[in-house]
Amino acid sequence: MTPEERAALTADGDRYYLVNYKGIGTIADPAFSQMEVIHSVSPIGSVLEIGCTTGFRLDKAQRAFGAQCAGLEASDSAVAEGAEKYPQIDIRQGIAPQDLNQWSGSKFDVVVVGHLLYLLPRSVLFEFAAQVDSLLADNGHLIVVDFVYHRNTVAPYAHQDSLLLYKGDPSGPWSWNPQYFLVHRDVYPLRGEAASQREPNQWQSIDVLRKLSESQAYENVNSPKSVHKLEGS
């Protein structure tokens, strides 16, 4: 990732925080609703959220599940507010994928990718997917919040000239891997007005993927060894 892209992502994190300030933590939270479903069948002991704004969702997860929670957020302003409101949550300022190495060696039951894939430069997409995979425990769950579209598209990003806006299958960076399978997808319009509801490129999704262990994901096919008998032996 170039220094220009990193600076642009940080600036957009601050823009998102300011524009959406009144709604942060106060509106419906389908990602947390999915955590509640997960916890009912597979207790959640730890959560990492990438793109966590103030950490409001992590605070809810800690109070509801008793989970150890950590988050990475691009916006300095959001991190500062989170440190004041939720001092018990480990919220750090940074840009994925590079700054995810702060949790290298850790494993989380749930990793949330919070509405950031659409701006992630494609040059670091594989690195990002690998970092997320390394931090998610076997039999854990990945929750991806992002735009969803029936084909892969790219367009100029109106808020930052040095960034592009990508839409497609938000689970794609992981779902190709046999260790990941989609267990839930909820698609809904970004806004409530009728025009947005009719236009597919304004839809977003909450995807939940379960990560299998390698032994669960791959069938072990052991063919009996052929016994060749040489004539005349």
Side-chain angles (χ1 to χ4, degrees):
M1 185 181 298
T2 67
E4 292 77 16
E5 288 171 333
R6 186 180 178 94
L9 288 170
T10 301
D12 193 70
D14 282 326
R15 181 201 64 80
Y16 182 91
Y17 165 72
L18 292 173
V19 169
N20 296 280
Y21 184 79
K22 291 183 179 180
I24 291 175
T26 66
I27 58 177
D29 188 353
F32 181 73
S33 296
Q34 289 304 311
M35 283 194 215
E36 292 180 308
V37 174
I38 292 167
H39 184 71
S40 69
V41 296
S42 181
I44 297 173
S46 55
V47 180
L48 173 67
E49 183 172 10
I50 307 164
C52 66
T53 61
T54 62
F56 71 93
R57 184 177 292 122
L58 294 168
D59 175 66
K60 288 196 289 186
Q62 187 175 75
R63 288 188 284 110
F65 317 133
Q68 294 184 335
C69 296
L72 184 70
E73 169 57 39
S75 169
D76 285 308
S77 299
V79 171
E81 181 176 339
E84 182 177 343
K85 283 187 172 181
Y86 316 116
Q88 77 281 12
I89 305 296
D90 179 19
I91 305 173
R92 307 182 192 183
Q93 194 281 331
I95 298 293
Q98 293 95 322
D99 295 324
L100 286 173
N101 60 17
Q102 298 177 80
W103 290 281
S104 179
S106 300
K107 293 289 184 181
F108 295 88
D109 295 328
V110 171
V111 175
V112 181
V113 178
H115 209 63
L116 58 85
L117 277 176
Y118 71 104
L119 290 182
L120 190 72
R122 300 299 94 165
S123 61
V124 296
L125 181 60
F126 281 5
E127 181 185 352
F128 177 73
Q131 284 275 35
V132 169
D133 176 67
S134 72
L135 294 168
L136 182 61
D138 285 352
N139 297 307
H141 290 83
L142 173 62
I143 300 175
V144 185
V145 185
D146 217 279
F147 290 108
V148 63
Y149 200 43
H150 63 278
R151 63 180 187 271
N152 291 306
T153 64
V154 61
Y157 185 50
H159 303 291
Q160 292 284 348
D161 291 340
S162 55
L163 294 174
L164 295 171
L165 186 153
Y166 299 91
K167 295 180 182 179
D169 178 2
S171 297
W174 299 275
S175 61
W176 63 270
N177 186 328
Q179 286 188 253
Y180 286 85
F181 72 98
L182 186 69
V183 296
H184 176 83
R185 169 169 281 178
D186 185 14
V187 179
Y188 54 95
L190 183 62
R191 299 178 181 85
E193 66 267 19
S196 176
Q197 295 181 25
R198 288 193 300 268
E199 181 48 60
N201 68 10
Q202 292 298 311
W203 295 347
Q204 57 185 4
S205 72
I206 302 289
D207 287 2
V208 181
L209 298 98
R210 184 174 177 88
K211 180 183 177 182
L212 301 174
S213 66
E214 187 173 317
S215 61
Q216 291 172 309
Y218 291 89
E219 181 183 1
N220 188 352
V221 182
N222 286 319
S223 300
K225 292 183 178 179
S226 299
V227 178
H228 297 284
K229 187 176 181 180
L230 298 178
E231 290 183 6
S233 60

